[in-house]
Amino acid sequence: MTFSIHRRPSWAISENQATPEGVYLDRRRILQGFGLGMLTAATLAASAGVGRAQDADPTADLYPAKKNEAYKLDRPVTPEEINGHYNNFYEFGTAKDIAANAQNLVIRPWEIEIGGLVETPFTIAFDDLVRKIPLETRLYRHRCVEAWSMTVPWAGFPLKSLVALAKPQASAKFVRFETFLDPEMADGQNDFLYPWPYIEGVTIEEAGHDLAFIVTGAYDKPVAKQHGAPLRLHLPWKYGFKSIKSIRKISFVEERPIGLWEALQPSEYGFWANVNPEVPHPRWSQAMERVLDTGELVPTQLFNGYAAEVAGLYTGMDPATLYM
């Protein structure tokens, strides 16, 4: 007979310390405390409209997904109305409040092409893919390279499940992700300064790690368009620009992909982009981070608090290359 010993991750706390969505503070006080008290009634009404549109989503019956109790937080979940109006989605503009513009994103029909060094390339509709792999909810940190952070109850499935579905060949060393290209739909893609479409990549080892997550939902419903509907990547130990939104194409490749931000400015946005408080961005410190809903400044943690889980992925590698 064998016995397994479960060691709680360094970032885990008891369940009763994670604030449920239904008991968040009064909306007006939250918004005012964060400096968003000037949001108009029309803006909040638009938010409600987004939620109603999600109710008609053909995958809505899959939510809420069962919570995976292994993934907990050391701070309350960020209120949905806060992070729903503070987003980076450059396809729809460079301002943070792009939620309304992001509603132009057409997510039906939506197909994902899976190819490259795989046993058999294929294309699958999102509505079919999301029912092939069991969904779960995980509480995750999200750390932006701009030195702000939030915490989100993402729903979806481990990236490694998608890797298994793709059946990559032994020669595949990296996984390359690509989003849509439609300047008529997404007016930000008319900006010629950016090398569209958005591309990102991870090593095959990173893709196989338990923490790497494909997001299809959040806050007990299909993921909102401004968060990268209908599916996005989330890598909680890396800076947020690595977590590509609205994925259209996944390729298994031998050569390292060059992401949009790395192509634009490699001295500031590297391939690895692992969070490290001791390695500053060339234009600002990463030692502290601003908690999105409270404005509180708190110390940044190595690998965003997931060092015990992911540090082994980088054993023997040059540390100078791993954090930008």
Side-chain angles (χ1 to χ4, degrees):
M1 181 178 297
T2 59
F3 297 86
S4 62
I5 300 174
H6 176 72
R7 291 184 173 87
R8 175 178 292 181
S10 60
W11 42 266
I13 62 170
S14 61
E15 177 65 17
N16 60 13
Q17 290 181 269
T19 305
E21 184 181 3
V23 295
Y24 289 141
L25 297 173
D26 169 74
R27 171 180 290 193
R28 181 180 298 275
R29 185 159 60 87
I30 291 174
L31 297 177
Q32 290 176 341
F34 185 57
L36 299 178
M38 296 304 291
L39 282 177
T40 66
T43 301
L44 295 177
S47 302
V50 172
R52 287 194 298 272
Q54 293 286 8
D55 292 342
D57 190 297
T59 66
D61 63 296
L62 297 174
Y63 307 92
K66 183 179 179 180
K67 183 178 291 184
N68 187 328
E69 300 294 345
Y71 300 89
K72 302 182 188 297
L73 295 170
D74 61 349
R75 65 184 69 161
V77 169
T78 303
E80 183 180 7
E81 63 264 33
I82 297 294
N83 67 26
H85 287 90
Y86 197 88
N87 312 99
N88 284 325
F89 204 163
Y90 280 75
E91 286 84 348
F92 294 97
T94 58
K96 288 293 186 289
D97 190 11
I98 50 80
N101 200 20
Q103 302 317 303
N104 292 323
L105 177 63
V106 178
I107 59 174
R108 294 297 188 287
W110 192 277
E111 293 186 332
I112 302 99
E113 179 184 343
I114 298 178
L117 300 173
V118 297
E119 187 175 290
T120 304
F122 63 95
T123 298
I124 186 169
F126 169 75
D127 292 337
D128 294 330
L129 174 64
V130 77
R131 295 183 185 275
K132 275 186 172 292
I133 305 173
L135 303 185
E136 60 183 67
T137 294
R138 297 182 177 185
L139 303 182
Y140 267 164
R141 293 168 172 262
H142 179 94
R143 173 61 157 80
C144 183
V145 72
E146 298 167 341
W148 54 266
S149 63
M150 62 181 180
T151 51
V152 186
W154 297 121
F157 52 84
L159 174 57
K160 66 181 181 181
S161 296
L162 184 58
V163 172
L165 186 67
K167 299 179 181 178
Q169 299 173 15
S171 56
K173 306 300 182 186
F174 300 90
V175 185
R176 179 185 184 275
F177 301 89
E178 183 176 319
T179 189
F180 63 90
L181 181 61
D182 189 341
E184 291 187 9
M185 177 181 71
D187 54 6
Q189 289 186 329
N190 290 299
D191 190 335
F192 66 90
L193 295 177
Y194 295 89
W196 306 112
Y198 203 116
I199 291 168
E200 260 306 338
V202 297
T203 67
I204 199 76
E205 293 79 14
E206 290 174 322
H209 195 278
D210 287 341
L211 285 174
F213 203 56
I214 292 289
V215 172
T216 64
Y219 296 97
D220 292 339
K221 55 183 177 287
V223 68
K225 292 183 177 182
Q226 62 267 36
H227 287 309
L231 81 165
R232 61 168 290 169
L233 182 64
H234 187 63
L235 303 165
W237 70 97
K238 294 179 178 288
Y239 290 115
F241 69 87
K242 294 290 293 184
S243 294
I244 185 172
K245 296 180 174 182
S246 302
I247 298 167
R248 276 286 196 183
K249 186 176 182 179
I250 301 172
S251 304
F252 293 80
V253 298
E254 192 168 3
E255 295 186 5
R256 182 174 71 80
I258 297 177
L260 178 143
W261 285 101
E262 183 182 5
L264 188 67
Q265 185 54 271
S267 66
E268 298 188 358
Y269 308 100
F271 172 77
W272 298 103
N274 294 316
V275 177
N276 188 337
E278 296 183 0
V279 178
H281 184 279
R283 289 180 282 131
W284 56 79
S285 171
Q286 296 287 15
M288 305 291 287
E289 63 192 60
R290 175 172 57 86
V291 179
L292 191 58
D293 54 323
T294 67
E296 179 185 9
L297 290 177
V298 299
T300 298
Q301 297 185 49
L302 181 64
F303 291 107
N304 200 26
Y306 298 96
E309 289 70 40
V310 302
L313 290 170
Y314 311 104
T315 301
M317 297 181 62
D318 181 1
T321 67
L322 292 177
Y323 303 107
M324 282 305 296

